[in-house]
Amino acid sequence: MTAGGLLLQQLINGLSLGAMYALLALGFTLVYGILELINFAHFNVFMVGSFVGMWTLQAMGLKGQTVILTGLPLAGALLMALIVTMVASGALGVAIERLSLRPLRNVRGPAAMITTIGVSYVLFNVVLLGVGADAKNYPNPLPPVTWTLGDAVLRLREALIWIVALLLMLALQMFVQRSRLGKAMRATAQDPEAARMMGVEVDRVVVIAFFAGSALAGAGGLIFGLYYNFTSFIIGFTAGLRAFTAAVLGGIGNVPGAMLGGVIIGLIEAMGSQFIAAAWTDVIIFSILVLVLVFRPAGLLGRVAPNKS
């Protein structure tokens, strides 16, 4: 393969990884934008979502890569898996907020953030003890359809990942910008007390933010399983850390910034693995993050908020 073919192939791979990281990063940015809270439990909501997607596909009779579907049966199976995964992950996010974080809403200091770390470890160990430490073969009913682009190959799975991720991100952006609840979310993010005085139900807005962010993490978990053909109790840490980096890089609290950061991190991972070395990928990613935070602390698209008097 020529250098140009390698570059194009890694561009395809990087955009696929970036789509997954962007969906996961949006969950961090939605919660932080409203509560100014880093939700570390989000790492393993992504992991749980991956397992929910696997169990849903298995419940429809799909085992490993032995059953291939096409046409309407394929679209129906994937749509059902996506809906169930997003709803289950969203419900898990709401449960985390209601049971663990709402009682600490008015507690100053890092108590809420530390609680999310504890919840993350609970999810991690529940899945570890419940399903075991071995990686699970992920059902993948996608046919081996490919398109040749010069020396590069675009598979059906990459095309579907791009389409699904783009539709979900556009839907979120339209929801935040155009809907009544989206306006309430933006008002709460700017000033919760003023929003409450204007009649905004802040608790409802927080629940919606946790549901939407966790649902997108679940969609990212399903994409992970279909892309790599496996899942495991350990996948949340690496993917979550890179998605958190993407959210900070783009400007945490900024929805377009999370999307941009996810794509950038995905491209860096793919290009770095191909042209430098896979072992250096994290060094490159976090070095860029440090440079961005030193010279532009609010991120690429974020704005520095004024201090409240």
Side-chain angles (χ1 to χ4, degrees):
M1 185 180 291
T2 64
L6 283 174
L7 183 64
L8 181 57
Q9 187 65 62
Q10 293 308 321
L11 177 63
I12 292 171
N13 296 338
L15 289 175
S16 301
L17 291 172
M20 179 180 66
Y21 292 147
L23 289 175
L24 190 50
L26 285 169
F28 286 112
T29 211
L30 282 174
V31 172
Y32 185 85
I34 292 175
L35 294 179
E36 295 187 353
L37 169 70
I38 304 299
N39 178 20
F40 288 107
H42 199 62
F43 285 32
N44 285 318
V45 171
F46 166 84
M47 179 268 292
V48 172
S50 180
F51 276 96
V52 171
M54 181 185 72
W55 294 328
T56 303
L57 290 170
Q58 289 176 344
M60 291 185 283
L62 302 174
K63 305 291 184 181
Q65 290 79 52
T66 58
V67 180
I68 302 298
L69 301 178
T70 57
L72 289 177
L74 174 64
L78 293 179
L79 183 60
M80 178 61 70
L82 181 65
I83 292 172
V84 171
T85 301
M86 292 184 69
V87 171
S89 300
L92 177 59
V94 171
I96 291 171
E97 191 276 330
R98 292 296 298 272
L99 299 176
S100 302
L101 298 177
R102 185 170 296 188
L104 301 174
R105 183 82 57 82
N106 298 317
V107 176
R108 294 182 178 272
M113 185 181 69
I114 293 171
T115 299
T116 67
I117 297 174
V119 172
S120 185
Y121 273 100
V122 169
L123 294 176
F124 177 91
N125 284 283
V126 165
V127 173
L128 171 61
L129 296 173
V131 303
D134 56 317
K136 307 300 180 184
N137 189 15
Y138 213 86
N140 192 340
L142 294 171
V145 177
T146 60
W147 297 274
T148 302
L149 305 174
D151 291 333
V153 175
L154 173 65
R155 297 175 295 177
L156 177 61
R157 71 179 64 180
E158 279 102 1
L160 287 178
I161 287 172
W162 297 350
I163 293 170
V164 171
L166 183 61
L167 289 176
L168 289 175
M169 288 187 283
L170 288 176
L172 177 66
Q173 182 69 2
M174 292 291 290
F175 172 76
V176 171
Q177 295 296 327
R178 301 292 178 85
S179 71
R180 185 180 181 87
L181 285 173
K183 293 177 182 177
M185 290 175 69
R186 286 186 285 132
T188 304
Q190 291 178 8
D191 194 324
E193 293 305 319
R196 197 185 300 274
M197 287 189 290
M198 295 301 293
V200 174
E201 297 180 39
V202 173
D203 288 341
R204 184 186 180 197
V205 168
V206 172
V207 166
I208 291 170
F210 269 87
F211 180 87
S214 299
L216 291 172
L222 177 63
I223 286 174
F224 179 97
L226 292 173
Y227 186 75
Y228 288 109
N229 289 331
F230 85 94
T231 190
S232 170
F233 74 101
I234 201 69
I235 66 169
F237 178 75
T238 301
L241 194 58
R242 290 180 179 176
F244 174 65
T245 303
V248 175
L249 179 63
I252 194 163
N254 185 291
V255 171
M259 300 177 192
L260 176 63
V263 172
I264 291 174
I265 295 298
L267 289 173
I268 291 172
E269 180 177 346
M271 298 296 180
S273 298
Q274 177 64 53
F275 297 107
I276 302 176
W280 285 90
T281 301
D282 285 336
V283 175
I284 298 168
I285 289 173
F286 291 107
S287 295
I288 291 174
L289 175 65
V290 170
L291 291 173
V292 169
L293 290 178
V294 168
F295 294 105
R296 191 173 175 82
L300 297 178
L301 299 185
R303 292 182 297 178
V304 178
N307 292 326
K308 295 181 181 179
S309 59

